[in-house]
């Protein structure tokens, strides 16, 4: 085993360091000189940290092996006593039992893909509300809860599976129980509580399912893409066959380059990215996903999906419709179209050297044949619900185009505080009650 690190040695951790703009929680903290309290909860570190913001009192996520909730020294030197008590209690074991994964050391993977994970997170949220006395100090407090189970299972089984349907039905019950508890345990109940519900992304059907219905669908074997590019560059520059020019574990839409072999050839970032961008169309066009999928994951009581791959024909060949280098993106070389506007909102100067590639709709990287993912500007990856509940809102179903970023704009407007520093949302006046 590697030697133990000394207590003062730097460690890989988690914090809002990469967050470049304030959240509405940050603005509420600023407006109240820190009297408002803000917390984030999720199974994932990023999903608890980023919505809560840089000024959050704490963000909590789980140890992936055990399910115990933890945080980082960015927030505090050690866990509060109530979190330690929750972790030592029976709740994690109960969630494992509900998920038929007793005594697992893979809590995130095995429990996280089941409804038991949602109820587990919401019970932790109850403990936080009680022990941190949210809603009891005369100012607005904020709790963000990212329920990860729907995402984990959705990737594995797709949005149309019987298992995902069970997940949604179970979540409806869990939210009803949670809000009933809030109504009874928070001063003022739901009358003094505002609730916003949304999702961070939509998702595509599993490619073989959409293909069987006649939708032009395809998968892209990104490992094969990397292997092909590596082989071409090793031949071109007479480098060792094992030289890797692309970073491992590629994911769309950003294909990351390893700068080191390019720098050894005295190739700068702009030229390196251009070389890869010019290769991609021909490399991708000849490749598809592997033929053999793995067995699906099926929740207890759910109906296994039909998996007759002999009838599956991914007829379309993979085809990129948008390729830009990071250098081009940062220079604003983006079409002035609706598609281009969506891309522009995804551009960052972080992330090393990369090339952005978006394939045709209903095409994605191969994930074993029965999985799906999200990453694109296509409508199915952006289609999410948006719900507001509470005293300021007029009940109704509103069919206009709205976005999750409208949450921050609307809530800060209602509270009379500044919008987040990079806010691009709109105040949803159409669903606000008239001023008295």
């Amino acid at each position: 085993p590697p030697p133990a690190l000394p207590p003062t040695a730097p460690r890989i951790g988690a914090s809002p360091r990469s967050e470049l703009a304030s959240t509405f929680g940050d603005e509420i903290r600023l407006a109240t000189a820190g009297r408002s309290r803000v917390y984030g909860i999720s199974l994932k570190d990023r999903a608890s940290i980023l919505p809560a913001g840089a000024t959050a009192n704490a963000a909590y996520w789980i140890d992936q092996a055990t399910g115990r909730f933890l945080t980082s020294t960015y927030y505090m030197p050690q866990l509060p006593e109530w979190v330690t008590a929750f972790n030592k209690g029976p709740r994690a074991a109960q969630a494992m039992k509900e998920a038929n994964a007793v005594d697992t050391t893979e809590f995130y993977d095995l429990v996280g893909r089941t409804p038991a994970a949602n109820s587990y997170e919401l019970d932790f949220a109850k403990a936080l509300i009680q022990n941190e006395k949210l809603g009891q100090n005369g100012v607005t407090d904020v709790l963000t809860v990212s329920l990860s189970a729907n995402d984990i299972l959705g990737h594995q089984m797709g949005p149309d599976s019987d298992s995902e349907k069970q997940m949604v039905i179970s979540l409806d019950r869990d939210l009803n129980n949670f809000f009933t508890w809030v109504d009874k345990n928070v001063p003022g109940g739901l009358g003094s509580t505002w609730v916003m519900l949304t999702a961070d992304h939509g998702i595509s059907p599993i490619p073989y399912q959409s293909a069987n219905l006649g939708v032009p669908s395809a998968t892209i074997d990104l490992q094969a893409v990397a292997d092909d590019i590596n082989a071409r560059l090793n031949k071109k520059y007479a480098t060792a066959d094992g030289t890797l020019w692309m970073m491992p574990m590629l994911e769309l839409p950003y294909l990351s380059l390893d700068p080191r072999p390019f720098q050894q050839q005295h190739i700068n970032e702009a030229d390196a990215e251009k070389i890869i961008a010019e290769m991609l169309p021909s490399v991708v066009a000849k490749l598809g996903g592997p033929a053999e999928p793995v067995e699906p994951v099926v929740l207890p009581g759910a109906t296994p999906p039909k998996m007759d791959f002999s009838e599956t024909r991914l007829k379309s060949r993979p085809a990129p419709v948008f390729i830009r280098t990071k250098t081009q993106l940062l220079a604003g070389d983006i079409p002035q179209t609706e598609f281009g506007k969506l891309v522009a909102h995804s551009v960052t100067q972080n992330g090393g050297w990369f090339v952005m590639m978006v394939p045709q709709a209903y095409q994605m990287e191969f994930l074993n044949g029965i999985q799906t993912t999200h990453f694109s500007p296509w409508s199915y990856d952006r289609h999410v619900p948006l719900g507001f509940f509470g005293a300021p809102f007029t009940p109704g179903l509103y069919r206009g185009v709205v976005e999750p970023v409208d949450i921050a704009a609307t809530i800060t407007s209602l509270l009379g505080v500044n919008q987040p520093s990079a806010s691009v949302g709109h105040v949803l006046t159409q669903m606000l009650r008239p001023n008295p």
Side-chain angles (χ1 to χ4, degrees):
L5 291 173
T8 57
R11 288 170 167 78
I12 296 174
S15 78
R17 178 181 178 182
S18 297
E19 195 155 38
L20 302 180
S22 64
T23 66
F24 74 84
D26 289 331
E27 296 300 334
I28 293 170
R29 290 270 288 167
L30 288 167
T32 60
R35 289 188 298 126
S36 291
R37 286 160 297 172
V38 176
Y39 294 89
I41 298 172
S42 181
L43 298 188
K44 308 174 184 178
D45 54 3
R46 59 193 180 275
S48 63
I49 291 171
L50 297 178
T55 68
N57 298 79
Y60 296 104
W61 57 94
I62 67 163
D63 173 76
Q64 294 200 0
T66 65
R68 290 192 295 266
F69 279 93
L70 48 83
T71 188
S72 81
T73 53
Y74 175 86
Y75 302 102
M76 61 191 73
Q78 61 186 29
L79 289 171
E81 291 184 3
W82 70 265
V83 178
T84 300
F86 185 93
N87 286 336
K88 289 182 177 179
R91 193 59 186 86
Q94 179 185 339
M96 294 178 192
K97 184 177 180 180
E98 292 171 0
N100 291 327
V102 178
D103 295 327
T104 182
T105 57
E106 299 178 78
F107 190 99
Y108 179 89
D109 291 324
L110 300 184
V111 181
R113 68 191 183 194
T114 71
N118 286 334
S119 60
Y120 180 63
E121 276 193 63
L122 291 172
D123 279 352
F124 185 78
K126 294 176 186 176
L128 188 152
I129 291 170
Q130 279 187 319
N131 286 278
E132 301 296 350
K133 296 181 171 54
L134 297 193
Q136 298 184 37
N137 68 338
V139 293
T140 300
D141 295 325
V142 176
L143 176 62
T144 67
V145 182
S146 175
L147 296 167
S148 307
N150 303 58
D151 175 86
I152 298 170
L153 181 69
H155 278 282
Q156 295 178 353
M157 297 298 296
D160 306 309
S161 67
D162 183 60
S163 295
E164 191 70 11
K165 178 181 178 181
Q166 284 192 12
M167 177 74 76
V168 173
I169 293 172
S170 176
L171 177 59
D172 186 63
R173 298 191 189 103
D174 288 336
L175 290 176
N176 177 68
N177 292 336
F178 177 69
F179 293 133
T180 299
W181 181 92
V182 168
D183 195 33
K184 295 178 180 178
N185 290 275
V186 172
L190 289 177
S192 63
T193 303
W194 300 350
V195 179
M196 289 72 70
L197 294 175
T198 190
D200 59 338
H201 56 75
I203 200 163
S204 170
I206 292 173
Y208 88 83
Q209 292 177 325
S210 53
N212 279 344
L213 290 173
V215 176
S217 307
T219 57
I220 303 171
D221 186 342
L222 291 183
Q223 184 57 56
V225 169
D227 291 344
D228 194 308
I229 290 174
N230 288 331
R232 293 186 188 200
L233 292 178
N234 286 329
K235 181 178 180 180
K236 178 176 181 178
Y237 295 107
T239 48
D241 288 343
T243 300
L244 302 179
W245 302 76
M246 304 297 294
M247 297 295 283
M249 305 293 290
L250 295 179
E251 286 187 277
L252 292 174
Y254 302 109
L255 304 180
S256 297
L257 286 60
D258 188 334
R260 294 169 295 184
F262 290 100
Q263 290 168 340
Q264 290 172 1
Q265 298 295 324
H266 307 289
I267 301 172
N268 62 29
E269 178 179 357
D271 290 339
E273 292 169 350
K274 181 180 178 182
I275 290 168
I276 301 302
E278 290 175 348
M279 284 186 177
L280 279 171
S282 62
V283 172
V284 170
K286 71 176 186 179
L287 297 171
E292 295 299 324
V294 301
E295 288 300 314
V297 174
V298 182
L299 291 180
T303 302
K306 295 180 180 180
M307 298 295 293
D308 185 2
F309 281 84
S310 64
E311 298 300 319
T312 299
R313 295 177 177 85
L314 296 180
K315 298 179 181 179
S316 298
R317 303 304 297 171
V321 296
F322 182 86
I323 296 176
R324 289 292 189 281
T325 69
K326 175 186 170 185
T327 305
Q328 289 176 305
L329 293 170
L330 293 179
D333 182 8
I334 302 171
Q336 299 302 305
T337 62
E338 290 302 314
F339 187 95
K341 291 177 184 178
L342 297 171
V343 170
H345 281 300
S346 299
V347 175
T348 175
Q349 61 184 355
N350 298 326
W353 299 9
F354 64 80
V355 175
M356 182 181 189
M357 184 181 80
V358 179
Q360 291 181 6
Y362 299 99
Q363 297 188 0
M364 67 185 67
E365 63 258 40
F366 180 83
L367 295 162
N368 77 11
I370 62 161
Q371 293 189 6
T372 186
T373 190
H374 52 88
F375 65 86
S376 78
W378 301 119
S379 63
Y380 49 77
D381 278 350
R382 298 183 289 109
H383 184 198
V384 297
L386 186 62
F388 293 79
F389 306 87
F393 311 116
T394 303
L397 176 63
Y398 302 87
R399 298 186 181 276
V401 176
V402 295
E403 301 174 295
V405 291
D406 296 336
I407 292 176
T410 301
I411 296 306
T412 52
S413 176
L414 287 170
L415 293 174
V417 304
N418 286 334
Q419 290 197 12
S421 56
S423 177
V424 294
H426 299 87
V427 178
L428 300 179
T429 55
Q430 65 268 38
M431 55 95 182
L432 298 181
R433 294 185 186 277
N435 290 327

